[in-house]
Amino acid sequence: MLPSLTNAEERLLLHYADPEAAAVGEDLSAKTLSALLDNAEFHGILPIMLRKLQERGDTQLPRGAGLRNRLEYLRQKATIATGQSMLLQYHGDRIMKGLAADNVPARIVKGPVFARKLYRNVADRPFTDIDILVEPANLARANRVIAACGFELGSNEAESYELQEFKWLEKENSSLLVELHGDLVHDTGMRRRLSLGFQELRAIDGEATDTPAALLTIAIVHAAGGHKFHRLQLCVDVLQGVRALQSPEAERRLLEAARMAGIELELAVVLNVTGQLFDESRALQLASRIKPDLSIRLARRLITTNTLLSVNSRDKLGSRLRRDAFRWIQRLARARPQIA
């Protein structure tokens, strides 16, 4: 369980989590900084916090050998994580070349693309796997290519076809994970209403690739469809995706993508809680563009800032129950609320 944070400390954590916010200027006690580091590591936003602490300078940090040693250890871990991300990218590029040679249309999604396209400092967004998306009809061919690149299947084949998600581990280094997807929504109960696959992303992008609307759509589905808001990093990706929408045309494409993929509920809820967490008015404005039906109103009451911040705190059971209830709303919700 994570150390408890006061309301003021939670605001500090969110300030550290925001890649575009300036480094925190106020003095912190060793106890407060240690608690913030624990929470930042759990929530996947530690690299951003470490960068900001370094920008401020170690001379401004609380005294204490224990804290300084911990910071040095965390910085070394962050450096290793950056190296792991680079190694994953190398293998991802190898697999993509193999897929292209076999005429299998594919695209890498999430981690490395978010890092490159949405973050000014690429090291702010390390990743622990490579996600490759293909059309469902091409899953078998893509699996053969990944196997030929030195990976072995780490998930049950029949179950993987049902979920449209295959987990591949590098034979010589099992810490290297590649996930092959036929759809970024794996919950079969939810897939009757929402789906985000290769063809949907191609339609969102139009003639371009990895457009802001497509990246934000992926981030929203990742936060609410793939995971259940289990850490702040998911909402930081969404925050950066909102900031990347630079025009009314990009916003229009996003709303059209939500309607096409059936993720109006997810868009309204994810953008609403992200806007509240980071005081981002554009996220709140975009969320309000979806006409709220009963499912959206209920979901907004469940997915709050407290739900995300208490994922691994003393109220973690309450957070888990609220997030589980949200998943059932997703499964039972009617499709296609109307865009206002």
Side-chain angles (χ1 to χ4, degrees), residues 231-287:
R231 57 182 187 170
L232 283 173
Q233 184 194 62
L234 299 167
C235 286
V236 177
D237 287 340
V238 172
L239 174 68
Q240 294 299 94
V242 169
R243 289 169 172 165
L245 290 178
Q246 296 293 319
S247 68
E249 172 62 18
E251 293 183 3
R252 184 189 65 78
R253 278 184 173 272
L254 173 70
L255 296 172
E256 286 183 353
R259 181 171 59 249
M260 177 180 64
I263 63 164
E264 297 95 335
L265 164 63
E266 287 70 24
L267 183 147
V269 173
V270 175
L271 290 183
N272 181 68
V273 75
T274 299
Q276 291 179 349
L277 282 166
F278 296 100
D279 195 26
E280 175 54 63
S281 60
R282 285 192 67 225
L284 295 171
Q285 181 269 326
L286 284 168

Side-chain angles (χ1 to χ4, degrees), residues 14-312:
L14 293 169
H15 192 83
Y16 276 119
D18 184 347
E20 305 303 321
V24 175
E26 61 186 270
D27 294 330
L28 303 174
S29 69
K31 180 180 178 181
T32 295
L33 184 55
S34 180
L36 288 170
L37 288 168
D38 286 342
N39 278 266
E41 185 173 21
F42 174 83
H43 281 288
I45 48 97
L46 183 63
I48 306 172
M49 182 173 179
L50 290 176
R51 171 176 61 79
K52 291 184 178 183
L53 289 174
Q54 194 162 28
E55 288 172 357
R56 193 182 178 208
D58 286 358
T59 59
Q60 304 298 317
L61 297 176
R63 296 182 181 275
L67 180 61
R68 297 299 177 98
N69 290 339
R70 173 108 191 283
L71 269 173
E72 183 59 29
Y73 167 73
L74 291 174
R75 286 168 175 164
Q76 289 177 0
K77 275 187 68 175
T79 300
I80 293 171
T82 299
Q84 180 84 342
S85 295
M86 294 172 66
L87 188 55
L88 281 164
Q89 182 69 69
Y90 164 75
H91 285 287
D93 291 343
R94 276 203 314 125
I95 293 169
M96 289 297 289
K97 288 178 182 177
L99 291 168
D102 205 32
N103 295 314
V104 179
R107 63 192 291 167
I108 292 178
V109 295
K110 296 189 284 191
V113 184
F114 286 167
R116 187 178 70 253
K117 293 280 190 175
L118 298 180
Y119 289 77
R120 182 176 294 123
N121 297 282
V122 176
D124 282 354
R125 184 49 167 90
F127 43 94
T128 56
D129 61 10
I130 292 290
D131 295 277
I132 298 175
L133 182 65
V134 300
E135 296 182 43
N138 288 328
L139 284 170
R141 292 171 62 201
N143 278 328
R144 288 194 292 271
V145 170
I146 296 174
C149 288
F151 286 73
E152 56 187 2
L153 189 62
S155 57
N156 178 272
E157 186 173 7
E159 182 179 328
S160 295
Y161 270 109
E162 182 181 9
L163 299 176
Q164 296 195 29
E165 179 189 34
F166 293 79
K167 296 180 183 294
W168 290 87
L169 302 173
E170 212 269 335
K171 290 179 180 179
E172 303 299 324
N173 183 355
S174 61
S175 71
L176 298 175
L177 171 65
V178 171
E179 294 189 351
L180 177 69
H181 308 268
D183 195 309
L184 295 181
V185 178
H186 304 132
D187 188 297
T188 55
M190 288 165 50
R191 211 182 293 147
R192 66 172 182 81
R193 178 179 60 84
L194 61 151
S195 175
L196 188 62
F198 189 86
Q199 289 298 338
E200 285 88 353
L201 285 176
R202 176 176 283 177
I204 295 167
D205 274 337
E207 296 181 359
T209 304
D210 294 328
T211 60
L215 294 178
L216 183 49
T217 301
I218 294 168
I220 289 168
V221 170
H222 190 214
H227 298 282
K228 290 188 292 187
F229 300 98
H230 72 294
R231 57 182 187 170
L232 283 173
Q233 184 194 62
L234 299 167
C235 286
V236 177
D237 287 340
V238 172
L239 174 68
Q240 294 299 94
V242 169
R243 289 169 172 165
L245 290 178
Q246 296 293 319
S247 68
E249 172 62 18
E251 293 183 3
R252 184 189 65 78
R253 278 184 173 272
L254 173 70
L255 296 172
E256 286 183 353
R259 181 171 59 249
M260 177 180 64
I263 63 164
E264 297 95 335
L265 164 63
E266 287 70 24
L267 183 147
V269 173
V270 175
L271 290 183
N272 181 68
V273 75
T274 299
Q276 291 179 349
L277 282 166
F278 296 100
D279 195 26
E280 175 54 63
S281 60
R282 285 192 67 225
L284 295 171
Q285 181 269 326
L286 284 168
S288 71
R289 299 278 294 277
I290 302 296
K291 184 179 180 180
D293 60 6
L294 178 60
S295 61
I296 290 176
R297 289 194 291 269
L298 287 174
R300 282 177 174 172
R301 293 176 68 88
L302 292 169
I303 304 302
T304 65
T305 57
N306 183 63
T307 302
L308 270 74
L309 291 169
S310 59
V311 166
N312 196 26

